[in-house]
């Protein structure tokens, strides 16, 4: 992506990103804020030690998850969108392309594949985002990276360990009277949309290029009600919002509190709940 030639106002850029997501997808409260910041995060992944997964989940079909991933594919840095993936394919596509990995239909294959869950979990923390596999006829050990930005879409729940590493975005069906634009544009509308998306990508690349040092040094204060893991997940987005300035730092903190503020309770396993009940 060739960065824009002119400097970019971060707050205006983030506002336009949020408006674009709202134009095409019915989102929960704070959803546009999360998506704008996470999209910017994909352009500066290597500034951080945690890669929060974006988890677009819904209770039923036709809630806009696939549309959301399709829109992300047009905006994020080096997107690869797939509706299924095997464990070897993950670390090989990361090695080949260093992509933002967008995985649709996660509920159809994740539960039965422990190896896949382990690989997706491993890429959450940069220090641990490595796998060793034997290659070739001599079975030579080789190190593969699993460090990448990732977003998932699925119906129902995903394994707790993966959910714990994610920023959850609860999706829902469009209500009667709600209207969103279609991504399936044709003719002049398609040309205009492509030009808009291309300009946004170049502007994101330029803004990150100009502000990477500030983002790397940002140190947002902890948010009451967030567990340590949830705070880790939100730290990259909060850091970006802090550098953007304007209303964005407060918007990001409100989103974190609303979407992840009770994660320490909600994610307790049945075993932990049983121990609480016994102790009580």
């Amino acid at each position: 992506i060739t960065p824009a030639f002119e400097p970019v106002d971060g707050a205006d850029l983030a506002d336009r990103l949020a408006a674009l997501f709202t134009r095409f997808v019915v989102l929960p409260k704070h959803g546009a804020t999360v998506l704008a910041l996470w999209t910017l995060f994909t352009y500066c992944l290597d500034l951080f030690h945690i890669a929060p997964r974006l988890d677009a989940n819904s209770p039923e079909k036709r809630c806009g998850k696939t549309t959301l991933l399709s829109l992300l594919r047009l905006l994020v840095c080096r997107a690869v969108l797939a509706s299924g993936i095997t464990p070897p394919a993950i670390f090989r596509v990361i090695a080949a392309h260093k992509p933002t990995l967008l995985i649709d239909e996660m509920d159809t294959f994740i539960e039965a594949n422990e190896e896949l869950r382990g690989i997706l979990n491993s890429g959450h923390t940069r220090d641990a985002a490595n796998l060793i596999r034997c290659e070739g006829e001599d079975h030579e050990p080789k190190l593969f990276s699993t460090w990448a930005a990732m977003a998932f879409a699925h119906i129902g729940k995903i394994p707790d360990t993966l959910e714990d590493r994610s920023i959850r975005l609860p999706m829902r069906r469009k209500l009667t009277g709600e209207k969103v634009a279609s991504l399936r544009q044709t003719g002049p509308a398609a040309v205009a949309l492509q030009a808009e998306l291309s300009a946004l990508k170049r502007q994101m690349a330029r803004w990150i290029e100009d502000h990477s040092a500030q983002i790397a040094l940002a140190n947002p204060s902890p948010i009451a009600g967030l567990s340590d893991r949830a705070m880790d997940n939100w730290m990259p987005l909060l850091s970006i919002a802090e550098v953007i300035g304007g209303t964005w730092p407060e918007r990001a903190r409100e989103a974190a509190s609303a979407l992840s503020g009770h994660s320490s309770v909600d994610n307790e396993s049945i075993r932990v709940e049983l121990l609480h009940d016994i102790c009580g």
Side-chain angles (χ1 to χ4, degrees), residues 182-203:
S182 172
L183 273 180
R184 298 183 182 89
Q185 304 284 350
T186 58
V191 174
L193 178 60
Q194 183 58 46
E196 180 183 6
L197 295 171
S198 178
L200 281 168
K201 292 181 74 170
R202 295 184 62 210
Q203 289 164 4

Side-chain angles (χ1 to χ4, degrees), residues 90-143:
I90 289 180
F91 55 78
R92 292 186 187 282
V93 75
I94 290 173
H97 303 291
K98 295 185 178 179
T100 298
L101 195 55
L102 310 173
I103 306 177
D104 202 2
E105 309 290 349
M106 176 75 89
D107 51 295
T108 63
F109 57 86
I110 187 65
E111 281 292 345
N113 199 327
E114 293 186 9
E115 183 183 9
L116 180 60
R117 295 204 303 268
I119 291 173
L120 294 176
N121 287 342
S122 72
H124 177 253
T125 305
R126 185 163 59 178
D127 293 343
N130 295 298
L131 298 174
I132 298 174
R133 293 291 186 270
C134 293
E135 290 276 290
E137 294 182 359
D138 296 331
H139 302 287
E140 186 72 22
K142 184 176 179 180
L143 192 68

Side-chain angles (χ1 to χ4, degrees), residues 42 45 76-81 85 89-102 146-150:
T42 68
L45 168 72
V76 299
C77 186
R78 294 188 298 272
V80 172
L81 172 60
I85 195 164
I90 289 180
F91 55 78
R92 292 186 187 282
V93 75
I94 290 173
H97 303 291
K98 295 185 178 179
T100 298
L101 195 55
L102 310 173
T146 57
W147 177 244
M150 299 184 191

Side-chain angles (χ1 to χ4, degrees), residues 21 35 38-39 54 68-76 102:
F21 283 109
L35 289 166
W38 193 85
T39 300
L54 182 66
L68 174 59
L69 289 192
S70 296
L71 184 54
L72 285 170
R73 182 183 67 83
L74 299 171
L75 287 169
V76 299
L102 310 173

Side-chain angles (χ1 to χ4, degrees), residues 40-278:
L40 284 164
F41 158 73
T42 68
Y43 287 80
C44 56
L45 168 72
D46 287 335
L47 296 180
F48 302 102
H49 293 282
I50 298 291
R53 280 70 176 97
L54 182 66
D55 174 24
N57 59 88
S58 71
E60 56 186 344
K61 62 185 179 182
R62 289 171 30 211
C63 290
K65 301 182 299 299
T66 299
T67 300
L68 174 59
L69 289 192
S70 296
L71 184 54
L72 285 170
R73 182 183 67 83
L74 299 171
L75 287 169
V76 299
C77 186
R78 294 188 298 272
V80 172
L81 172 60
S83 295
I85 195 164
T86 63
I90 289 180
F91 55 78
R92 292 186 187 282
V93 75
I94 290 173
H97 303 291
K98 295 185 178 179
T100 298
L101 195 55
L102 310 173
I103 306 177
D104 202 2
E105 309 290 349
M106 176 75 89
D107 51 295
T108 63
F109 57 86
I110 187 65
E111 281 292 345
N113 199 327
E114 293 186 9
E115 183 183 9
L116 180 60
R117 295 204 303 268
I119 291 173
L120 294 176
N121 287 342
S122 72
H124 177 253
T125 305
R126 185 163 59 178
D127 293 343
N130 295 298
L131 298 174
I132 298 174
R133 293 291 186 270
C134 293
E135 290 276 290
E137 294 182 359
D138 296 331
H139 302 287
E140 186 72 22
K142 184 176 179 180
L143 192 68
F144 291 91
S145 173
T146 57
W147 177 244
M150 299 184 191
F152 316 128
H154 61 93
I155 295 174
K157 289 180 63 64
I158 54 176
D160 287 345
T161 54
L162 195 52
E163 184 179 290
D164 196 42
R165 290 164 168 79
S166 304
I167 293 174
R168 301 186 67 207
L169 198 63
M171 306 290 288
R172 63 169 177 83
R173 281 191 178 182
K174 180 173 59 177
L175 300 176
T176 303
E178 288 184 314
K179 293 183 179 180
V180 290
S182 172
L183 273 180
R184 298 183 182 89
Q185 304 284 350
T186 58
V191 174
L193 178 60
Q194 183 58 46
E196 180 183 6
L197 295 171
S198 178
L200 281 168
K201 292 181 74 170
R202 295 184 62 210
Q203 289 164 4
M204 285 189 281
R206 175 59 190 262
W207 187 81
I208 293 296
E209 183 180 86
D210 289 346
H211 296 86
S212 59
Q214 294 170 263
I215 295 170
L217 293 174
N219 187 28
S221 58
I223 298 176
L226 262 65
S227 67
D228 291 344
R229 173 58 64 80
M231 191 65 201
D232 284 345
N233 288 338
W234 279 92
M235 187 62 74
L237 275 60
L238 294 172
S239 298
I240 293 169
E242 189 172 280
V243 176
I244 290 173
T247 62
W248 278 87
E250 186 58 32
R251 286 173 64 174
R253 296 177 75 85
E254 288 178 359
S257 295
L259 295 173
S260 303
H262 303 290
S263 60
S264 60
V265 175
D266 294 342
N267 289 334
E268 285 186 348
S269 70
I270 191 169
R271 299 176 184 86
V272 174
E273 291 179 0
L274 178 60
L275 287 174
H276 280 314
D277 289 342
I278 293 171

